[in-house]
Amino acid sequence: MLKILKTRIHQGYRTSQYPTKPLTLHRHFKGLPQVNTACRDEMAQRCAEMCPQEAIDAKKRLIDLGKCVFCGLCERISNGEFVHFTNEFAMAATRREDLLTSGAMPDLTVHRRKDVQGLFGRSVQLRQVSAGGCNACEADTNVLNTPFFDLSRFGIGFAASPRHADGIHVTGPVTRNMREALLRTYDAVPEPKIVIAAGCCAISGGPFRGSPEIIPLETLVPVDLYIPGCPPHPMTNLDAFLRFFK
Amino acid sequence: MADFLTIQNGRPFKRIQVPYLHFSEFRTNLLKLAFKGAEVVQFFAYQEDPSIKEVLMLGFNAPSRDFFSYEEEGTVQLMAVLRKDHQLFAVQTTAPETFDALSRQDMRFQLFEREIAEQFGLIPKDHPWLKPVRYHANCRGVKDVFGNDYTQDIPGNYPYFQVEGEEIHEVGVGPVHAGIIEPGHFRFQCIGERVLHLEIQLGYQHRGVEPLLTSVPFKRLPILIEGIAGDTAVGNALCFSQAMEALLNLTPDDGAKTLRTVALELERIANHVGDLGALSGDVAFNSSAAYFGRIRGEFLNLLLVMAGNRFGKNLVRPGGVTMGLIEDSRNLILSKIKELRPEIKEVGDLLFSAHTVQARFDGCGVVSREIPLVGVAGRASGIDYDVRQAFPTEKYSEIPACLHTRTHGGVFSRAMVRFEEILHSLDIIERLLQRPVTTQPVVWTGEVSLASSSCVTTLNEAWRGELSHCVLTDSRGGILRYKIKDPSFHNWTGLAMALRNEEISDFPLNNKSFNLSYCGFDL
């Protein structure tokens, strides 16, 4: 008992003050990319060709955050000329096309579903469905329950049963072998419900696009919120939840 | 002709150097070696590219009879890599469409043979446990071994082991679980609270990684590799990069080796700390669950400093690393370690000395060392095998082994091995980062051609245990076959064994004490 108290005192209070106080991630964090529209054509072209995710539209100078894995290759080969990855973690969008960006994201609160705030603004429970990803998205979602992020202080939680949930939070490219389980989980959530596609895989198939073993999420269920990243940083998730629901 | 080719971890060899035996001889030799205590590192099927045969023939000095007289028996090749006494042995053969299962004599081959049956449609005759591994059609379009119709949803024809009796009941769990975790199906045969048998049926995360690796442009390879298992992104990227370096004749500089070793150890610490937290949670000891949960994040943030993201993705690439380590970052890592080591020790002491924890950990889920486990679970059962010592790469030849005090094979040992490894890894990182690190960053654009008709096997001690990649190239320098083996491939059996005669309520605790990868297994 004394040990428990002693350790408790040593550990202290660790929960972040976000969003009351702003939070800045380490400058090495690769977040929202800032495309340099004045970049030379041949450099933009080279970046687009080399992009392992084929996420770059060289002509329009856009990066598709739904495909991007934030590997930073385009930044490296162009030595920053084409793009610079900022440490901005807020990147979520409610429309797929908004993820095509040169650095500015439209205001999520303007485009979100109209009923969300009224229905779920005070309390929302989500059912997480891991559908074939690499477990990084799941791990960095789970971490929201640790003391630093402490998700439950916002009235947001992850439920054990879809019957107790208001929506599903899907990660992974949706494997053929998870199709039925995903649909059954979705069906078990009572209406009205929300679908969140978190991570590059859930949005676009991610690194696994082109595999005959996966089925695009959007062909199975309607998506209300897209959270980019490979995986999304916990702060990207948290920011998305707060701006979408609150 | 020698029975096996002795190969080195991460060193390339021409495929014709590997003894090509008649199947019956291949089978006998493998069983003999396994009987002497060798373990299976890789055992998989592949199909020769039709254009490669003449190339092999040209370079082949021995009487061609040895090589080609078995051709009519089948079109699928088998390759095996075994390890014994810090040595690796390779051998290959052409597999008949139906062959006598090695598993009949030695259970170490059972899952490998099921995988071969599923991926290539070969039939391992008299296999004692012939069931699907991941539930997908075979790549040759031949009749399915399991009689499955893959337009139907998983699990298809999966004959679950069943115990019969009036008081026997069955509990099915998953694929979707109560927490934020990956999908998998568990089936318990119980008598009252006691578990007689646990069957683990996986495949839900199967996204076809291996076939993708041989069909996509090279520029996509590292991203795919890091998507095998996000919690082992550094481990997989390391296995991949070492394989590419072997096939491209690249040597990373010393600084890169240092940073890769540091990243692999940070990955290990973050996961082990997280697991200790999760184990605390599973016995309702919430203080250390919260503290370890938070401390895990500190290490993930150090990976972010090194790589730009919390999982160490996009750092390790063929030829070195993509980012050097500036002095600021080096000092930050060192000062964080200094700050966190006493915290980890204190919270660890809190956990391991609590009576309520001991009562749940001690003697729970004991696995005998007869079960061929790898990594943490293996060492917790007294199996003295650590790739960092047995087949050292990067900077590991300079680093002393981690010694373990508890090797009784149960939950307590698996937790204690993790705790000891965390402290050991902290020492490794401090030691490696004593001096400034300089390296020439590299980029991977995939504009390369690999050494033709070659092969390389790489092994690394990822945080769960032995992780191995094996790459076979064709005559044009493309990838003919890319085989991945996550440590979980060995260890899921361990979890099933641990549960025998335990209470079903101890399943979460046992599961977490192994913390195996679904996606790394399902590929």
Side-chain angles (χ1 to χ4, degrees):
Chain A
M1 188 66 204
L2 284 176
K3 250 184 207 171
I4 294 178
L5 291 173
K6 194 181 82 182
T7 319
R8 175 71 191 83
I9 292 161
H10 287 173
Q11 286 293 319
Y13 185 78
R14 303 284 190 155
T15 303
S16 139
Q17 298 290 305
Y18 180 85
T20 322
K21 282 189 188 156
L23 187 145
T24 311
L25 295 178
H26 192 276
R27 65 182 193 283
H28 288 179
F29 172 65
K30 288 202 189 311
L32 186 66
Q34 207 63 51
V35 178
N36 171 21
T37 44
C39 169
R40 287 172 294 153
D41 280 342
E42 60 268 28
M43 185 57 88
Q45 199 55 45
R46 164 94 180 141
C47 290
E49 276 165 24
M50 286 301 114
C51 176
Q53 289 300 98
E54 278 133 24
I56 298 173
D57 185 331
K59 281 210 183 71
K60 292 185 186 154
R61 300 284 200 270
L62 294 174
I63 294 185
D64 184 352
L65 298 186
K67 288 182 177 172
C68 180
V69 290
F70 302 81
C71 72
L73 184 77
C74 47
E75 186 177 18
R76 278 182 202 110
I77 58 175
S78 73
N79 204 10
E81 182 185 332
F82 173 67
V83 66
H84 168 63
F85 284 85
T86 68
N87 62 348
E88 173 58 56
F89 54 78
M91 285 185 273
T94 51
R95 298 176 303 186
R96 179 67 181 87
E97 63 271 22
D98 290 347
L99 294 176
L100 285 130
T101 183
S102 57
M105 300 296 293
D107 187 359
L108 193 159
T109 53
V110 174
H111 299 289
R112 67 181 170 185
R113 245 170 65 177
K114 300 290 172 241
D115 57 346
V116 167
Q117 199 185 7
L119 285 168
F120 307 119
R122 285 160 63 85
S123 162
V124 64
Q125 293 293 315
L126 300 168
R127 173 61 253 197
Q128 211 285 320
V129 184
S130 163
C134 73
N135 198 29
C137 288
E138 291 81 354
D140 257 356
T141 307
N142 219 348
V143 98
L144 292 173
N145 293 316
T146 59
F148 180 80
F149 302 99
D150 193 16
L151 187 65
S152 52
R153 71 194 151 118
F154 301 108
I156 305 171
F158 285 91
S161 163
R163 296 273 187 217
H164 304 158
D166 306 304
I168 57 173
H169 176 271
V170 185
T171 50
V174 189
T175 56
R176 236 170 18 85
N177 290 347
M178 270 307 284
R179 189 192 68 93
E180 193 198 353
L182 171 73
L183 288 176
R184 285 174 63 173
T185 308
Y186 175 78
D187 288 341
V189 176
E191 295 275 1
K193 52 190 160 191
I194 302 148
V195 176
I196 300 173
C200 173
C201 285
I203 301 173
S204 71
F208 311 107
R209 68 187 192 283
S211 169
E213 301 289 338
I214 64 170
I215 307 159
L217 175 65
E218 282 174 303
T219 64
L220 299 172
V221 291
V223 177
D224 300 301
L225 176 64
Y226 299 88
I227 309 179
C230 185
H233 191 280
M235 288 308 298
T236 309
N237 272 316
L238 184 57
D239 159 76
F241 293 165
L242 294 183
R243 285 193 293 141
F244 185 67
F245 291 117
K246 295 289 161 185
Chain B
M1 191 187 247
D3 291 341
F4 295 96
L5 176 73
T6 308
I7 61 170
Q8 310 285 323
N9 182 15
R11 295 281 283 279
F13 48 92
K14 287 284 175 191
R15 283 166 48 208
I16 53 166
Q17 289 175 271
V18 183
Y20 207 110
L21 307 182
H22 187 279
F23 180 77
S24 61
E25 213 182 331
F26 170 87
R27 184 178 187 279
T28 317
N29 290 353
L30 279 185
L31 287 171
K32 258 194 228 160
L33 193 62
F35 184 72
K36 286 187 208 154
E39 298 292 346
V40 188
V41 175
Q42 294 278 7
F43 181 32
F44 61 89
Y46 65 97
Q47 254 187 321
E48 206 61 80
D49 180 346
S51 67
I52 205 167
K53 291 211 165 154
E54 46 198 296
V55 179
L56 280 172
M57 181 118 61
L58 289 173
F60 202 68
N61 297 324
S64 60
R65 191 185 65 82
D66 281 323
F67 207 108
F68 295 107
S69 56
Y70 319 120
E71 235 180 272
E72 61 275 14
E73 291 175 17
T75 58
V76 180
Q77 280 74 34
L78 299 179
M79 173 140 183
V81 179
L82 269 63
R83 67 174 163 90
K84 185 175 181 295
D85 305 331
H86 298 196
Q87 278 191 299
L88 294 168
F89 303 96
V91 63
Q92 53 186 336
T93 188
T94 298
E97 290 294 315
T98 301
F99 62 90
D100 287 333
L102 282 80
S103 320
R104 246 173 40 193
Q105 267 84 39
D106 196 320
M107 283 308 286
R108 273 174 282 207
F109 295 95
Q110 69 92 10
L111 193 53
F112 292 97
E113 287 189 319
R114 283 164 62 190
E115 186 184 45
I116 289 166
E118 187 171 71
Q119 291 185 333
F120 283 81
L122 301 176
I123 303 170
K125 201 170 77 169
D126 298 329
H127 190 295
W129 199 257
L130 190 58
K131 305 179 184 196
V133 181
R134 306 183 177 102
Y135 196 73
H136 62 82
N138 67 61
C139 67
R140 292 196 298 152
V142 297
K143 188 169 171 284
D144 189 66
V145 174
F146 313 98
N148 280 327
D149 166 11
Y150 293 96
T151 57
Q152 302 295 310
D153 282 317
I154 192 171
N157 294 319
Y158 193 99
Y160 294 101
F161 183 83
Q162 276 188 318
V163 181
E164 283 174 4
E166 217 169 288
E167 292 178 46
I168 301 294
H169 65 104
E170 188 181 85
V171 180
V173 182
V176 181
H177 300 287
I180 306 179
I181 46 170
E182 298 178 80
H185 182 69
F186 301 96
R187 220 172 254 217
F188 302 85
Q189 307 292 321
C190 303
I191 180 157
E193 289 285 293
R194 188 154 67 97
V195 177
L196 296 175
H197 179 74
L198 158 63
E199 184 146 5
I200 301 165
Q201 177 240 321
L202 301 173
Y204 296 90
Q205 301 273 68
H206 177 66
R207 51 226 188 273
V209 174
E210 286 181 357
L212 272 179
L213 286 167
T214 53
S215 59
V216 300
F218 279 6
K219 66 175 181 178
R220 284 181 61 183
L221 295 181
I223 306 297
L224 255 172
I225 290 288
E226 287 171 338
I228 294 168
D231 54 24
T232 316
V234 178
N236 277 301
L238 202 51
C239 277
F240 161 76
S241 297
Q242 289 166 352
M244 293 300 115
E245 283 154 13
L247 297 168
L248 291 166
N249 201 15
L250 292 173
T251 313
D253 61 37
D254 206 53
K257 285 183 185 172
T258 301
L259 295 183
R260 287 158 36 145
T261 310
V262 169
L264 190 65
E265 294 307 318
L266 280 176
E267 182 173 82
R268 186 182 326 278
I269 298 170
N271 281 296
H272 283 355
V273 169
D275 282 349
L276 290 180
L279 280 166
S280 315
D282 277 333
V283 295
F285 194 61
N286 288 340
S287 15
S288 54
Y291 307 150
F292 277 134
R294 196 263 310 165
I295 296 170
R296 168 178 176 270
E298 301 264 14
F299 288 101
L300 293 176
N301 290 340
L302 292 182
L303 271 174
L304 186 151
V305 170
M306 287 184 75
N309 62 82
R310 288 161 43 101
F311 289 82
K313 289 182 174 189
N314 313 313
L315 175 68
V316 181
R317 287 292 180 267
V321 288
T322 54
M323 276 169 81
L325 191 72
I326 52 171
E327 278 301 275
D328 275 8
S329 306
R330 186 175 73 93
N331 293 331
L332 177 67
I333 294 173
L334 288 175
S335 68
K336 271 286 172 194
I337 287 180
K338 207 170 226 167
E339 171 195 327
L340 292 168
R341 186 190 276 117
E343 286 192 32
I344 292 170
K345 281 186 176 167
E346 185 178 35
V347 180
D349 177 50
L350 177 69
L351 173 70
F352 289 111
S353 66
H355 299 160
T356 51
V357 172
Q358 286 171 355
R360 293 287 309 275
F361 279 17
D362 219 6
C364 183
V366 174
V367 189
S368 126
R369 56 168 301 167
E370 309 290 303
I371 312 285
L373 302 181
V374 296
V376 169
R379 289 191 285 281
S381 300
I383 299 171
D384 183 21
Y385 173 56
D386 185 327
V387 182
R388 293 176 292 176
Q389 259 62 51
F391 307 105
T393 58
E394 307 300 317
K395 301 298 274 183
Y396 287 111
S397 51
E398 303 169 11
I399 290 160
C402 181
L403 301 175
H404 299 297
T405 53
R406 289 277 302 225
T407 53
H408 305 304
V411 171
F412 199 109
S413 299
R414 288 189 284 275
M416 191 49 105
V417 166
R418 282 188 167 81
F419 182 64
E420 288 162 346
E421 286 197 0
I422 292 165
L423 298 177
H424 177 250
S425 298
L426 290 172
D427 292 343
I428 295 178
I429 296 171
E430 268 189 343
R431 185 185 168 128
L432 290 172
L433 294 186
Q434 266 169 8
R435 284 185 301 277
V437 184
T438 50
T439 179
Q440 189 59 44
V442 294
V443 289
W444 172 264
T445 56
E447 295 157 307
V448 292
S449 179
L450 306 175
S452 60
S453 312
S454 299
C455 177
V456 62
T457 302
T458 56
L459 292 91
N460 281 291
E461 186 72 20
W463 66 277
R464 284 192 185 88
E466 177 199 272
L467 176 68
S468 175
H469 289 197
C470 187
V471 186
L472 273 61
T473 60
D474 61 25
S475 59
R476 293 178 296 270
I479 297 176
L480 176 71
R481 179 79 163 102
Y482 200 117
K483 188 75 201 79
I484 299 148
K485 192 205 65 186
D486 190 271
S488 310
F489 198 76
H490 293 280
N491 286 6
W492 277 112
T493 315
L495 174 60
M497 291 298 136
L499 251 284
R500 289 212 169 159
N501 289 316
E502 289 296 342
E503 281 182 28
I504 192 168
S505 52
D506 273 337
F507 172 68
L509 179 62
N510 274 286
N511 188 24
K512 199 52 79 178
S513 76
F514 281 88
N515 192 9
L516 301 175
S517 179
Y518 300 72
C519 53
F521 177 94
D522 286 345
L523 298 175

